[in-house]
Amino acid sequence: MSDTEFTRADVCAAAIADAFSEDGEIFASPMGLLPTLGVRLAKLTSNPDLVISDGESVFLGGTPPLGGKDVVEGWIPFRRVFDVVAYGKRHVMMGATQVDRHGNQNISAIGDFARPKRQLLGSRGAPGNTVNNRTSYWVPKHSTRVFVEQVDIVSGVGPSRAAAAGPGAARFNDIHRIVSNLAVFDLGGAGDTVRLVSVHPGVSVAEVVEATGFALDAPADVPTTREPTTEELLLIREMIDPKGLRFKEVPDA
Amino acid sequence: MSRKPRDKRMSIDEVIGSLESGMTIGIGGWGPRRKPMALVRALYNSDLTDLTIVSWGGADVGLLARAGKIRRLVYAFVSLDSVPLEPNFQRARQAAPESGLAIPEIVELDEGMFQTGLKAAAERLPFLPMRAGLGSDVLVNNPWITTVTSPYDEGHGHEELVAVPALRLDAALVHLNRADPHGNASYLGPDPYFDDLFAMAADRTYVSVEQVVDTAGLTVDTPVQRLLLSRMMVTGVVETPNGAHFSTCTPDYERDERFQRAYAAAASGSDEDWQAFHDRFLAGDEASYQAAVQAFTEETTK
């Protein structure tokens, strides 16, 4: 591969990094592989002030490769994660088994809550995250099964429901970005709905619309997600993910 | 007469024998991390029924669900991490109510709400306010959890917040690395989890440990900040080496991933698969479990 050739996974990593580029000195909390890669890329490029952890119990002073260790700069056991959630200096990027037009997310269960067709993790921290700190979502396989008209169970709270629940819920509700393997979205659509921000290089708007189970707010001219820079590609390949773990999540088609 | 505080060492059977059906039992640790598995295994094999289990769940919830011990489950997640979805928990959740395999009452909370509920219980308050839950289906699926209006206006009106109810426990089961015979106990890994909150939310707390040492031994090579439990919070101490297996008990041992895979495969397999796993590992006492695990380890690392 030449220095400037890039894969879809690299595009996703750069798009995730961009979601954290203007956060300043806050705790970046990525759940899963591509979000971790993207956050570390942001820390090495656009936002060196990001505070990152090993996903377990310590803040890392440096920016190690995925799965690697580094100098410890702080202590963040689970109880202190809850403290930071309430404190607010945090941006979490979670997964989403379902996400709907209003930016509600589900990781609890599929089907009826009383007797689900498929029990998932449980709501975890999604209800608290979404009314306390900036929250984004990462969807590695964009499809109509994930992007649904209405989620079966609301774990993460979108802006409309937060507004309906009152200022206690709405004050700090901040659904920032949804990044999928096809495109980037925000909640800037009419009535705080999901809006298409950009389609990844090689992906058409029609393709995204087709893979989305709700009416997508899209501008007349949808930009293309920016290509990763040569520096970013070098950082991804040589420093953060030399083993190519990202291709397990987003295969190099 | 001894001038020392009393010796609280107990056997696993004595702990389980002191519990009753219908109790609310909190289980410490976090997901697949530092779970009091020796005590959980004994619960799994006990005659106790109709339990309310309060846990950030891992295989503790899976095992007790499989054994039909749980009438009511309070959780925020149930996961084995490297196996994201706990198969025994999934099976119980997806079962038809009339099958007798389902958990009759489900209380799924946000994980921060869960901590706040323990805090309220630990502080002997009926509830504590927080934002988590607002706007989400946690409040829809738990209509008994209500909100409270702030008496103060900080410029955003009188905010309506969730009144997270206290999660009071009849008993808490936790597993730490070291304890003295009186119940002072320390964790040596990177995270205390919430075991002190479980202890303070409970009427009685039983702590199992890798090793019982004398009181001076607790701080001989360990900073005092690692002493998480004071004996005033502890009812009984049980020495159960490898007692958190197959969850982590850093630095004594990490998660037994190979065994966890075998557990998950059996749990998600046929009834016969589970029966075989049960017969091999779970049917006997803790000593026979540990012997079977050792044989499994030797067999799979050849």
Side-chain angles (χ1 to χ4, degrees):
Chain A
M1 191 181 287
S2 83
D3 288 351
T4 53
E5 262 182 88
F6 57 85
T7 64
R8 181 65 56 79
D10 300 327
V11 172
C12 293
I16 292 167
D18 284 353
F20 290 84
S21 64
E22 288 167 7
D23 283 340
E25 198 160 31
I26 55 107
F27 177 21
S29 243
M31 307 287 160
L33 197 133
L34 248 292
T36 304
L37 171 57
V39 159
R40 292 189 185 180
L41 186 61
K43 188 163 192 284
L44 288 170
T45 56
S46 57
N47 189 356
D49 281 340
L50 281 176
V51 176
I52 67 168
S53 82
D54 65 347
E56 196 73 25
S57 53
V58 293
F59 286 137
L60 301 174
T63 311
L66 297 172
K69 291 184 189 309
D70 207 292
V71 62
V72 169
E73 70 170 3
W75 188 46
I76 185 77
F78 288 111
R79 61 177 63 195
R80 294 184 79 171
V81 175
F82 295 146
D83 293 343
V84 178
V85 170
Y87 176 54
K89 289 192 179 180
R90 179 169 181 259
H91 179 177
V92 59
M93 181 174 268
M94 305 186 80
T97 308
Q98 292 179 325
V99 63
D100 68 22
R101 202 163 80 85
H102 294 283
N104 301 306
Q105 167 250 31
N106 176 18
I107 49 171
S108 169
I110 298 296
D112 179 23
F113 185 76
R115 189 194 168 189
K117 268 187 277 189
R118 186 166 157 76
Q119 173 67 42
L120 306 170
L121 288 171
S123 281
R124 292 222 74 147
N129 288 337
T130 46
V131 295
N132 278 294
N133 58 222
R134 177 169 276 189
T135 304
S136 295
Y137 299 114
W138 158 244
V139 177
K141 281 185 194 154
H142 192 127
S143 81
T144 53
R145 290 161 61 95
V146 180
F147 286 79
V148 296
E149 181 64 34
Q150 202 173 352
V151 296
D152 293 345
I153 290 148
V154 178
S155 308
V157 181
S160 297
R161 283 183 66 116
R171 272 179 71 192
F172 305 116
N173 177 257
D174 178 11
I175 310 301
H176 185 60
R177 291 281 184 279
I178 303 166
V179 180
S180 81
N181 60 323
L182 300 183
V184 178
F185 309 84
D186 66 12
L187 270 290
D192 295 331
T193 55
V194 173
R195 176 177 68 177
L196 184 56
V197 170
S198 65
V199 290
H200 297 340
V203 178
S204 70
V205 173
E207 219 175 307
V208 175
V209 168
E210 178 75 11
T212 301
F214 55 80
L216 196 53
D217 197 307
D221 285 309
V222 180
T224 303
T225 310
R226 73 172 179 85
E227 297 176 2
T229 65
T230 313
E231 185 203 1
E232 285 177 317
L233 290 171
L234 192 69
L235 290 169
I236 293 169
R237 288 175 200 162
E238 305 295 330
M239 285 188 65
I240 314 173
D241 186 23
K243 292 180 188 157
L245 298 173
R246 62 195 179 282
F247 300 123
K248 288 186 187 169
E249 215 163 74
V250 180
D252 186 15
Chain B
M1 197 184 132
S2 167
R3 291 175 185 233
K4 281 187 178 175
R6 67 184 187 279
D7 187 332
K8 294 174 185 163
R9 281 174 289 183
M10 299 173 78
S11 69
I12 293 172
D13 287 344
E14 283 169 337
V15 171
I16 301 303
S18 77
L19 303 174
E20 291 159 33
S21 290
M23 274 188 166
T24 297
I25 298 177
I27 302 176
W30 174 274
R33 296 177 185 77
R34 224 180 65 231
K35 283 284 174 180
M37 293 304 288
L39 296 176
V40 169
R41 285 186 281 271
L43 261 187
Y44 168 96
N45 271 326
S46 72
D47 296 330
L48 298 170
T49 56
D50 289 324
L51 301 175
T52 292
I53 296 296
V54 179
S55 176
W56 278 290
D60 52 336
V61 168
L63 280 173
L64 297 176
R66 187 76 188 211
K69 298 294 183 195
I70 310 177
R71 182 183 58 77
R72 187 168 190 255
L73 177 65
V74 182
Y75 67 103
F77 62 83
V78 182
S79 176
L80 304 174
D81 275 29
S82 47
V83 180
L85 305 176
E86 218 290 348
N88 275 327
F89 167 65
Q90 272 198 308
R91 177 179 176 273
R93 283 286 284 134
Q94 294 164 199
E98 59 277 10
S99 67
L101 304 175
I103 299 166
E105 285 181 54
I106 287 290
V107 178
E108 182 177 295
L109 304 176
D110 164 84
E111 57 192 30
M113 283 176 84
F114 190 112
Q115 182 202 29
T116 299
L118 289 179
K119 263 190 196 165
E123 295 172 13
R124 301 180 299 169
L125 289 168
F127 74 93
L128 279 170
M130 80 182 305
R131 295 182 198 284
L134 292 171
S136 80
D137 277 352
V138 166
L139 297 191
V140 174
N141 293 324
N142 298 288
W144 57 283
I145 300 180
T146 187
T147 57
V148 63
T149 304
S150 170
Y152 309 108
D153 181 351
E154 290 191 304
H156 309 278
H158 295 271
E159 287 184 68
E160 199 178 336
L161 301 165
V162 177
V164 182
L167 292 175
R168 293 188 196 290
L169 310 172
D170 294 314
L173 309 177
V174 298
H175 185 86
L176 277 75
N177 301 86
R178 306 279 182 272
D180 70 11
H182 318 297
N184 299 301
S186 63
Y187 71 102
L188 303 181
D191 197 321
Y193 309 117
F194 303 86
D195 290 350
D196 49 343
L197 272 185
F198 277 97
M200 292 167 79
D203 291 340
R204 294 186 250 162
T205 296
Y206 299 99
V207 54
S208 62
V209 289
E210 290 301 308
Q211 193 186 4
V212 174
V213 297
D214 64 17
T215 305
L218 287 170
T219 51
V220 70
D221 53 1
T222 306
V224 68
Q225 289 87 346
R226 288 187 174 278
L227 281 166
L228 189 65
L229 299 184
S230 154
R231 60 187 165 81
M232 68 183 168
M233 306 169 188
V234 173
T235 310
V237 176
V238 193
E239 190 174 62
T240 59
N242 210 33
H245 183 270
F246 47 96
S247 72
T248 61
C249 192
T250 314
D252 289 308
Y253 44 89
E254 294 303 317
R255 189 154 60 236
D256 187 343
E257 295 287 357
R258 194 181 279 120
F259 189 90
Q260 178 163 289
R261 280 196 296 275
Y263 164 82
S268 51
S270 65
D271 288 351
E272 290 72 28
D273 292 334
W274 179 255
Q275 189 62 46
F277 185 88
H278 167 93
D279 292 345
R280 179 169 182 191
F281 296 107
L282 299 170
D285 63 7
E286 180 64 11
S288 66
Y289 173 81
Q290 295 294 348
V293 168
Q294 200 178 344
F296 171 86
T297 305
E298 282 163 12
E299 188 181 295
T300 51
T301 47
K302 260 180 203 166

